[in-house]
Amino acid sequence: MFRTCVNNLFIKRQIHGNAEIVQNCKEIRNRNPRNLERLRIARKPIGYALDTRELQYWHKLNIIRSQRYITAEIYHFENGPVISASSHEWGLKKQLYSTIDSVAYKFVGHTLAQRCLESGISEIYVEDAIITGNKVKLLLDEMTENGIYLQEPKRYKHPNSTHRFRPEKPWETYE
């Protein structure tokens, strides 16, 4: 209970939780399109059997190298690039000696990780083919140091009643 002073009058305010709101609510509408991905029950695209590239991801890291700049983007499988960070951005370019050296890769990795966490993305898929050198390894290490997990969790599948092993449901937390 809080006491608030307004014009020398103390008003008592109660702290209300979400449980009361849910009990009185007749309909719950989820307006977050990424909620099923966070709960690990959204469909991951499988692709076709003869496709050369693998499409089992929700968010994928893509690194674009040019002769002058580095761009790292997070791709969503439906919407394309969602988040990006580049050494071409004015704020990063002014702090760097060179926009393609190893320090630039670390700065881009740090900036991308910060933007991912601000937007609610904490797990991304990284292809083995993009890990080509030490600079890319520095970018990935910087992202893991800042709280990004470089492997997406497996999709939750509801077990049959005959299965012995029942996985923990991702939407239930046990503390």
Side-chain angles (χ1 to χ4, degrees), residues 16-148:
H16 298 289
N18 289 337
E20 297 173 6
I21 296 170
V22 172
Q23 287 176 354
N24 296 331
C25 187
K26 296 177 185 172
E27 178 182 318
I28 296 175
R29 191 177 287 178
N30 182 11
R31 297 187 308 198
N32 183 0
R34 307 267 191 266
N35 189 40
L36 295 178
E37 295 169 8
R38 297 287 295 156
L39 291 175
R40 297 184 352 200
I41 57 176
R43 182 186 67 82
K44 278 189 180 183
I46 298 171
Y48 295 103
L50 298 176
D51 280 346
T52 56
R53 63 175 200 220
E54 188 175 329
L55 286 176
Q56 288 194 333
Y57 62 86
W58 289 306
H59 298 100
K60 175 183 158 185
L61 177 67
N62 189 16
I63 299 172
I64 302 165
R65 295 175 214 108
S66 67
Q67 291 183 352
R68 292 185 178 183
Y69 303 108
I70 307 147
T71 304
E73 297 176 333
I74 303 295
Y75 270 65
H76 188 261
F77 76 96
E78 286 180 340
N79 303 335
V82 180
I83 303 167
S84 67
S86 175
S87 62
H88 186 64
E89 296 174 8
W90 183 82
L92 286 177
K93 188 171 29 172
K94 291 297 178 187
Q95 295 180 8
L96 297 172
Y97 177 74
S98 171
T99 56
I100 57 169
D101 63 349
S102 58
V103 176
Y105 275 84
K106 284 189 84 162
F107 267 76
V108 169
H110 180 76
T111 306
L112 185 67
Q114 183 178 3
R115 290 178 185 172
C116 284
L117 291 177
E118 287 173 357
S119 65
I121 298 173
S122 59
E123 297 111 0
I124 58 172
Y125 171 74
V126 178
E127 284 182 322
D128 294 334
I130 68 167
I131 306 173
T132 56
N134 293 336
K135 292 180 181 179
V136 176
K137 188 77 173 153
L138 284 173
L139 185 138
L140 296 176
D141 289 343
E142 189 68 28
M143 290 184 74
T144 54
E145 286 177 14
N146 288 302
I148 301 296

